[in-house]
Amino acid sequence: MSAVNRGLRQASRTLRLPHRFCQTSALRPSLCSSSKLGTPRSSLPSHNQNTFSTMASLQSSAPVPSAPRAYDPEITDIADYVHNKPINSDLAFDTARWVFIDTLGCGLEGLRFKECAKLLGPIVEGTVVPNGTKVPGTPFQLDPVNGAFNIGAMIRWLDYNDCWLAAEWGHPSDNLGAILAVADWVTRTNKAGGNLAGGKIFTVRDILEAMIKAHEIQGCLALLNSFNKVGLDHVVLVKVASAAVVSKMLGLSEKQTADAITQAWVDGQSLRTYRHTPNTMSRKSWAAGDACQRAVNLVLKVMKGETGVPTVLSAPVWGFYDVLFKGKKFEFQRPYGSYVMENVLFKVSYPAEFHSQTAVEASQKIHDQLKALGKSAADIKGVTCRTHEACVRIIDKQFKPMDNFADRDHCIQYMCSVMLVFGRLTAGDYTDGSEAATSPLVESLRQKIKCVEDPQFTADYHDPSLRTISNALTVELNDGTVLDEVVIEAPLGHRLRREEAKPEILAKYQRHLEPHYSADQVKNLVELSQNPKALEAMSVDEYVDLYVVKKSEFV
């Protein structure tokens, strides 16, 4: 290379270096603004502050804050509730006990489906974590992060655990994936000589209290704030609630809990697209397990010293509200207490998306009525379903193709048709190749069921004193006969029908235990579930050990 060329290249590098530094340095704005190579700050084009721009940080002349920033009040309210609010409601603890056993039973039933079972177990086959989380119904003993995914995924797989319906919907018992995994790991570790969370030995009573608080956080955030309307999946609330409760369980301070909550909000949120045509798929069944896993992982990072993002919600341009919530702040109907657990909905009768529960119950009555008349679903000309707005928005799929089980268990027409044709609706009726999924009569009837919103049903759905999930079916037969409308306002498992539901919840729990355990084990677990004093006093590890299967035929 000639001396001239070398000299030119050296001069070029010298000229470029200050310009590159100004582009990348956020710590020395004075150097950039005064440099003859840079554009003076005053001559930069002006932009609306609400406009999303990757240049926003360069355009801002705000000084770097030297004092600690205040946390968003939405964050501190949750942290304060978790650390300082005692739960004194006997109704909440009693309901939590029923939710606890029902949720574990739902997880065991999920294991029977190979699409669920194939996702479970250690990341590296054969790994056993000493003093780790044990996964009910399996031989697996895992780290708490993967344990939270396993338990959360199996619980949620069949859409059969409890439900909360409001501006946003969801399944607050999904949080048990994180709660149980952490409690079991901490307890086993401390019994082996460790000192996690100050040596805490968790009892089932502690689990119930954590469940009440996780239910409350998820449910209160859902009351007036619709995440689905901005395309986000409700499992963000599982992640936030689990992060908050697990932080306290691990002995973190109130500030660290706030830090963990902010990390849950700043984490990229799941899109709902996997719940809707044309992308409906199995991820909707393990999304809650993923949320539990992320929550525990984030809390463990905070436990190691990772700090929070104080204004994660409210920060202009970059905060959750501006980026993902159309600039709208969260609204709240009530302070945190125990309202959600006390009013939660149990799925008792059918493994069906909850907005359809009363419609399926009405279909069962109509099936029996047709049978008494000497007729069947083949004699139906059309069905009108008077319903609430959320049902129309989520599961009204009259003419959409049913490509897989995830489509079928979120289609009110399919669920009602199966009940009208066969007089039943089970988890097996959603699977590819099943009698129901391949029935020409089910498919033709599905396309004859039309949903129409009733504004009063929608109002009752949001009324805090009612919270009903009403559906009403009117059937017209081929011969012109119109059957009387069948109206079901509150499903079995609603607070208004809670006592009626308890025997059915217990029967459901026993039914879900039976494929996994001996008759004596089933009897022991059922009896223990009905002895609150003995159950709540048990340490978590001893209780979970009752569910361990050394060699499962399902996983």
Side-chain angles (χ1 to χ4, degrees), residues 33 158 166 187 190 273 311 400 406 445 454 479:
S33 60
L158 294 176
T187 300
N190 290 342
T273 188
T311 57
K400 293 177 181 177
L445 183 56
D454 182 320
D479 63 8

Side-chain angles (χ1 to χ4, degrees), residues 19-281:
H19 185 57
R20 286 205 309 270
F21 177 81
C22 290
Q23 285 179 319
T24 58
S25 175
L27 299 177
R28 293 190 178 180
S30 59
L31 288 177
C32 298
S33 60
S34 62
S35 171
K36 293 180 180 179
L37 296 174
T39 305
R41 187 173 301 278
S42 60
S43 67
L44 290 172
S46 62
H47 294 277
N48 186 305
Q49 286 188 341
N50 291 326
T51 301
F52 182 91
S53 170
T54 56
M55 295 296 290
S57 61
L58 295 181
Q59 295 166 11
S60 173
S61 59
V64 176
S66 57
R69 288 164 294 162
Y71 286 70
D72 287 325
E74 300 91 330
I75 304 296
T76 55
D77 284 350
I78 295 174
D80 174 66
Y81 167 68
V82 168
H83 280 265
N84 303 317
K85 172 71 175 180
I87 303 299
N88 300 314
S89 168
D90 291 338
L91 175 59
F93 273 103
D94 181 67
T95 306
R97 175 171 56 87
W98 287 94
V99 170
F100 181 53
I101 64 168
D102 181 55
T103 303
L104 287 171
C106 290
L108 293 169
E109 184 68 3
L111 291 178
R112 299 178 63 200
F113 291 78
K114 63 181 181 180
E115 294 302 310
C116 175
K118 74 181 183 183
L119 297 174
L120 307 185
I123 294 173
V124 177
E125 188 174 354
T127 301
V128 177
V129 177
N131 307 315
T133 297
K134 292 188 178 181
V135 181
T138 79
F140 303 137
Q141 187 163 10
L142 311 171
D143 67 84
V145 175
N146 197 30
F149 173 82
N150 275 241
I151 299 170
M154 57 191 272
I155 285 170
R156 190 68 185 86
W157 193 263
L158 294 176
D159 201 358
Y160 210 0
N161 53 324
D162 72 356
C163 190
W164 184 250
L165 304 179
E168 187 57 51
W169 37 83
H171 303 263
S173 59
D174 290 346
N175 293 285
L176 184 60
I179 292 168
L180 188 61
V182 168
D184 194 30
W185 165 60
V186 168
T187 300
R188 292 183 194 279
T189 300
N190 290 342
K191 282 190 173 183
N195 191 36
L196 289 170
K200 175 75 174 180
I201 303 297
F202 285 97
T203 65
V204 173
R205 173 82 176 188
D206 296 320
I207 296 295
L208 300 185
E209 181 173 354
M211 290 173 65
I212 293 168
K213 292 195 171 184
H215 271 61
E216 189 74 0
I217 295 166
Q218 179 173 347
C220 285
L221 281 165
L223 281 171
L224 299 178
N225 305 297
S226 178
F227 294 81
N228 63 83
K229 284 187 177 179
V230 296
L232 299 180
D233 196 21
H234 57 257
V235 296
V236 59
L237 301 183
V238 175
K239 183 167 50 174
V240 169
S242 286
V245 171
V246 165
S247 295
K248 174 66 161 58
M249 292 173 65
L250 281 169
L252 273 62
S253 68
E254 188 172 336
K255 180 188 178 299
Q256 287 177 304
T257 295
D259 288 338
I261 295 166
T262 68
Q263 289 289 351
W265 281 118
V266 83
D267 201 11
Q269 312 308 335
S270 299
L271 304 179
R272 279 188 64 87
T273 188
Y274 47 71
R275 298 188 187 276
H276 299 278
T277 301
N279 295 310
T280 315
M281 61 169 299

Side-chain angles (χ1 to χ4, degrees), residues 301-313:
K301 284 179 169 60
V302 172
M303 190 174 176
K304 291 180 178 179
E306 186 67 22
T307 57
V309 189
T311 57
V312 61
L313 297 175

Side-chain angles (χ1 to χ4, degrees), residues 285-501:
S285 296
W286 55 262
D290 181 62
C292 290
Q293 178 182 40
R294 289 172 183 268
V296 176
N297 190 30
L298 290 170
V299 172
L300 292 175
K301 284 179 169 60
V302 172
M303 190 174 176
K304 291 180 178 179
E306 186 67 22
T307 57
V309 189
T311 57
V312 61
L313 297 175
S314 66
V317 181
W318 308 109
F320 181 89
Y321 290 148
D322 277 2
V323 176
L324 295 173
F325 220 58
K326 299 187 182 299
K328 184 180 179 182
K329 293 184 66 175
F330 294 151
E331 298 177 48
F332 294 89
Q333 182 188 90
R334 61 200 318 113
Y336 296 112
S338 55
Y339 172 81
V340 176
M341 182 61 81
E342 292 167 358
N343 289 275
V344 77
L345 300 160
F346 286 84
K347 281 191 179 181
V348 181
S349 303
Y350 321 104
E353 202 281 340
F354 214 98
H355 295 90
S356 71
Q357 288 280 318
T358 52
V360 176
E361 186 174 346
S363 298
Q364 187 169 30
K365 292 179 180 296
I366 292 168
H367 174 272
D368 295 341
Q369 186 179 358
L370 289 172
K371 189 174 181 180
L373 294 172
K375 297 183 180 296
S376 70
D379 295 301
I380 294 175
K381 179 180 180 180
V383 180
T384 299
C385 177
R386 190 160 56 93
T387 188
H388 47 288
E389 183 273 340
C391 177
V392 174
R393 183 147 45 95
I394 307 166
I395 56 174
D396 179 9
K397 302 178 181 180
Q398 185 176 7
F399 300 111
K400 293 177 181 177
M402 297 287 100
D403 293 330
N404 52 46
F405 81 89
D407 273 323
R408 298 180 191 108
D409 75 0
H410 272 58
C411 172
I412 188 171
Q413 286 88 358
Y414 181 83
M415 292 180 274
C416 289
S417 294
V418 173
M419 179 58 75
L420 290 167
V421 171
F422 298 109
R424 66 158 198 266
L425 182 64
T426 69
D429 289 321
Y430 300 121
T431 58
D432 294 344
S434 65
E435 180 184 28
T438 57
S439 167
L441 181 55
V442 167
E443 178 59 20
S444 65
L445 183 56
R446 182 177 73 85
Q447 299 186 33
K448 297 177 182 178
I449 301 176
K450 178 182 179 181
C451 288
V452 178
E453 182 193 353
D454 182 320
Q456 188 59 54
F457 282 179
T458 300
D460 293 345
Y461 174 91
H462 291 288
D463 186 335
S465 65
L466 293 176
R467 310 201 66 80
T468 49
I469 311 98
S470 306
N471 281 288
L473 299 187
T474 301
V475 172
E476 181 182 0
L477 302 180
N478 291 326
D479 63 8
T481 302
V482 177
L483 302 182
D484 290 341
E485 183 181 62
V486 177
V487 183
I488 307 290
E489 295 186 358
L492 192 64
H494 188 281
R495 176 181 53 82
L496 299 175
R497 299 175 66 185
R498 183 70 52 78
E499 292 306 312
E500 177 188 355

